[in-house]
Amino acid sequence: FYFRNKHRPFLLFVSLLHVHTPLITTEKFQGRSRHGLYGDNVEEMDWMVGKWLLDVIDKKGLKNTTFTYFASDHGGSLEAHRGNAQLGGWNGIYKGGKGMGGWEGGIRVPGIVRWPGVLPAGTVINELTSLMDIFPTVVHLAGGVVPQDRVIDGRTLLPLLQGTVQHSGHEFMFHYCGVFLHAVRWHQKDSGTIWKAHYATPVFQPEASGACFGRGICPCFGDGVTHHDPPLLFDLSRDPSEANPLSADTEPL
């Protein structure tokens, strides 16, 4: 692929099976990590991205002209276990995990960008973007224009990455579980506060577990969710773990 397209623009999309159950890991990487089979899987994925993609781009002299974006489509799965070994990753301080369209642990993932010829290394941007932003970003890089006859939900990432703007182009973000709207995020531009309202949340099993161990994965509808009217409201700026829903007493405004 790289040989054929070295002298012209190319788009390469790679969707890895790694860090996803059943965690298929080659013998070379089994037992390499202190964090069990999941850790082995992460190390093998890291090696594949470096050896098969980034090293080849470097050797072909394309490093400074190639925009690379690495991300995940959801947070780690909490329910995936084999005996006492957790097979589905870890979401840090964020509540919930894979299959949960509202809680931060299900939807918040890092995005890693590499473009040495244009973007400075080591920059950290604490702004919320979306995988929907990849489409307009790629169109922008290719010198094209996104369709003008419809609403495009994504926003090009280039101004944010290059520092010409300081905030994400998304004032509102809508978080679905399947076809059901579970939560809405509002980035209040004048204050910088990020509010999030939950209209439906999964019923955890056991109740305080933060996961749906009884079902294997949290459902999006029916008796698997609780509907909230009024919605649960959180100030993510102060409570990123979504541990303390606001009330009229705690937040009169």
Side-chain angles (χ1 to χ4, degrees):
F1 177 86
Y2 296 108
F3 287 109
R4 291 199 311 270
N5 293 279
K6 178 180 178 180
H7 298 295
R8 59 181 179 178
F10 63 86
L11 172 66
L12 176 65
F13 175 79
V14 179
S15 183
L16 295 161
L17 288 172
H18 285 63
V19 297
H20 195 292
T21 53
L23 298 181
I24 298 167
T25 308
T26 60
E27 284 187 26
K28 179 180 178 180
F29 284 90
Q30 288 180 10
R32 287 271 292 265
S33 168
R34 293 178 298 168
H35 301 285
L37 188 58
Y38 188 90
D40 296 343
N41 219 242
V42 172
E43 293 209 14
E44 184 165 21
M45 178 185 66
D46 180 64
W47 177 83
M48 290 170 65
V49 171
K51 191 75 173 176
W52 292 359
L53 298 174
L54 301 184
D55 282 0
V56 175
I57 288 171
D58 292 357
K59 288 173 183 175
K60 297 300 175 186
L62 302 173
K63 179 170 70 173
N64 289 346
T65 55
T66 301
F67 176 86
T68 305
Y69 183 93
F70 180 87
S72 175
D73 58 344
H74 55 69
S77 169
L78 302 179
E79 291 86 359
H81 280 74
R82 183 183 301 162
N84 292 325
Q86 185 177 352
L87 301 183
W90 179 67
N91 298 316
I93 67 170
Y94 303 114
K95 183 180 290 186
K98 176 187 176 180
M100 302 181 206
W103 295 119
E104 292 291 279
I107 55 179
R108 183 190 283 251
V109 296
I112 303 172
V113 175
R114 178 183 187 256
W115 194 4
V118 177
L119 304 176
T123 303
V124 177
I125 299 174
N126 289 311
E127 287 290 312
L128 291 157
T129 61
S130 166
L131 290 180
M132 294 186 295
D133 297 334
I134 295 175
F135 169 63
T137 301
V138 168
V139 171
H140 186 163
L141 287 170
V145 179
V146 297
Q148 301 296 302
D149 60 345
R150 70 205 72 180
V151 175
I152 300 296
D153 294 313
R155 303 284 189 273
T156 176
L157 295 170
L158 269 298
L160 192 61
L161 294 173
Q162 293 176 318
T164 57
V165 301
Q166 300 304 310
H167 298 294
S168 166
H170 296 281
E171 183 177 3
F172 294 94
M173 297 182 82
F174 298 85
H175 303 300
Y176 287 83
C177 184
V179 299
F180 303 96
L181 180 66
H182 275 210
V184 175
R185 180 191 314 264
W186 176 30
H187 188 162
Q188 191 175 359
K189 291 183 177 180
D190 56 350
S191 69
T193 303
I194 301 173
W195 307 96
K196 187 157 159 215
H198 286 260
Y199 299 94
T201 55
V203 177
F204 293 145
Q205 299 174 335
E207 188 175 339
S209 65
C212 299
F213 294 111
R215 297 175 182 263
I217 192 168
C218 289
C220 298
F221 59 92
D223 63 0
V225 301
T226 299
H227 294 274
H228 303 282
D229 185 13
L232 297 179
L233 182 64
F234 296 93
D235 177 356
L236 294 184
S237 314
R238 294 183 293 178
D239 181 23
S241 299
E242 299 174 290
N244 303 298
L246 302 176
S247 69
D249 296 327
T250 59
E251 186 63 58
L253 178 62

